[in-house]
Amino acid sequence: MRIAFDARMEAAERADWWRALTDALPDDDWVDVLVEGGTSARWREADVAVVANPQPGRLAGCTRLRLVQSLWAGVDRLLADATLPADVPIARMVDPAMSRAMAETATWAVLSLHRRAFDYAAQQRRTAWSPLPQKRADEVSVLVLGLGEMGRTTALQLARLGYAVSGWSARPQVVDGVACASGWAALAGALGGADVVVNLLPLTADTRGLFDRTRLAQMRPGASLVNLARGGHVVEADLLAALNAGRLARAVLDVFETEPLPPTHVFWFHPQVTVWPHAAAQTDLRSAATVVAGNVEALRRGATPAHLVDRGRGY
C-alpha cells in the first residue's frame, strides 16, 4: 500500500505529521511527504493520498488512487477542484478529539455570551465596575445547526451544562435529550426560538450564504451568532448590518470568506464581533493519524473506509 502525504504546513509540522503517520501505519507501508510545489514519481503512484487543502490539480495525475483521505472535517475546498478524480472515494476526517475540541470552543462561546464575559471585558477597558443581570443556564436557548459528529458532541455537552438546547439539520436526526428539527421549512422557527445560534453545518450549495439578510431577520431580536463552520455560510455585509441595527447582539466568528482575515476588515474593530483565526478545532495529529491508519487498514482488508463523502450532498 503506497501512501502519499500533501499538506501545506511549516516544515516542522510536516515532520511531526510524517512521524505520527509512520508510527500509526504498518511497517510495510511508506509515506512520501510531498513539499508544496514539489513533484514526486512516488506521489503519482500512490494508492492513498492523505491531504490537507492541496493545491488544485495536485491529484490529477494520480491514476492509481484508491482513496483520498482528508485531514479536515470539511471537504468543500477539496470538492471544488474540478480535476479531482471522479471515481476515487473521499473520506473526511471524523476524529473524536476534533469533535471534543469543537464542543469546547462552542461551549466557551455560549458561556461567554451567557455570563456576559464580552460585556465585562469591554467594561474592564473602561475601568467600569457594573454587575450585569445574570440568567440561569436553563433560561438560555441554544440552537446547534448541523447534527453530524461535531454538532452532536456540541449539543450534548451544552445540554449537560443545563442549557435549553435544540438542534436543526437538513435531514432528520435524533440526539438524546435534544429537541431536533429538520428540513428547510423548520429552520425559520428554530432560528426564532434561540438566544444563541451555533453554526456547525457543512458548506454546500444549499448552505452557502445561509446567513443572509432574510435568515438573520428570522433570528430572535438580541440573539447572537457563533459561526465555527465556514465563512461562506455568512453574508458578511448582511451580518454587519444586523449588528449595527441592533437586531443581533454579538457575533463570534472563527471562519471568514477570506482567510486570513484582511487587517483592514471591519470585523477586527467592531465592538460586537469576536474574531478567532480559524482555530476552533484544529486537527490533532496524534488522533488523526490513527483515523488515517484505520482507513488504510480497511482498504487492505477490502473493507469500506469510514466516513466517505457523498459528492452529491457535498459532505
Side-chain angles (χ1 to χ4, degrees):
M1 186 78 68
R2 292 181 170 180
I3 302 163
F5 176 66
D6 180 14
R8 283 184 271 171
M9 303 171 175
E10 297 296 328
E13 190 177 3
R14 278 200 304 270
D16 288 342
W17 269 106
W18 185 88
R19 283 190 292 270
L21 285 171
T22 52
D23 286 347
L25 292 165
D27 291 339
D28 58 341
D29 285 317
W30 53 261
V31 177
D32 183 23
V33 179
L34 181 67
V35 177
E36 182 187 356
T39 60
S40 169
R42 279 185 160 185
W43 172 262
R44 293 190 294 272
E45 297 171 356
D47 300 291
V48 179
V50 180
V51 298
N53 192 27
Q55 291 281 13
R58 178 66 78 200
L59 304 179
C62 301
T63 58
R64 295 179 51 175
L65 279 181
R66 297 168 57 191
L67 177 68
V68 176
Q69 172 68 62
S70 175
L71 294 175
W72 288 7
V75 292
D76 47 284
R77 296 181 188 179
L78 192 59
L79 292 177
D81 183 357
T83 70
L84 194 67
D87 57 345
V88 178
I90 302 167
R92 59 192 180 90
M93 177 55 62
V94 178
D95 177 7
M98 187 187 295
S99 296
R100 287 192 296 271
M102 185 64 82
E104 289 164 359
T105 301
T107 299
W108 160 81
V110 171
L111 279 167
S112 296
L113 291 163
H114 165 211
R115 298 302 298 269
R116 311 291 293 271
F118 301 117
D119 296 322
Y120 285 129
Q123 288 189 174
Q124 180 178 347
R125 290 190 291 271
R126 302 192 307 270
T127 64
W129 181 283
S130 180
L132 300 170
Q134 181 176 303
K135 292 182 177 180
R136 300 185 323 214
D138 62 358
E139 296 174 316
V140 179
S141 300
V142 182
L143 171 66
V144 177
L145 299 181
L147 295 173
E149 187 69 24
M150 287 185 177
R152 295 170 67 89
T153 303
T154 296
L156 288 170
Q157 179 157 303
L158 289 168
R160 285 194 292 269
L161 289 175
Y163 290 103
V165 181
S166 59
W168 180 91
S169 54
R171 297 183 301 161
Q173 301 286 347
V174 176
V175 181
D176 290 344
V178 175
C180 298
S182 62
W184 295 105
L187 181 55
L191 290 171
D195 298 305
V196 181
V197 175
V198 179
N199 180 41
L200 292 171
L201 288 166
L203 183 62
T204 67
D206 289 332
T207 63
R208 179 172 289 280
L210 178 67
F211 288 99
D212 60 8
R213 181 182 306 176
T214 300
R215 290 295 182 194
L216 293 169
Q218 292 170 350
M219 291 176 62
R220 176 179 289 179
S224 295
L225 174 64
V226 179
N227 187 23
L228 308 179
R230 285 290 185 266
H233 285 125
V234 174
V235 179
E236 293 181 350
D238 291 354
L239 174 59
L240 182 63
L243 290 167
N244 288 340
R247 273 204 49 80
L248 297 186
R250 176 164 287 273
V252 179
L253 307 175
D254 180 55
V255 287
F256 305 88
E257 188 66 52
T258 299
E259 295 181 1
L261 189 66
T264 57
H265 198 291
V266 65
F267 283 162
W268 283 113
F269 314 103
H270 199 286
Q272 294 159 269
V273 176
T274 297
V275 171
W276 271 37
H278 202 145
Q282 299 173 342
T283 302
D284 185 290
L285 65 89
R286 296 158 295 185
S287 54
T290 302
V291 173
V292 174
N295 268 352
V296 170
E297 183 60 26
L299 278 181
R300 186 198 307 279
R301 298 194 315 267
T304 301
H307 310 300
L308 293 181
V309 172
D310 183 329
R311 294 196 190 208
R313 292 206 305 263
Y315 58 92

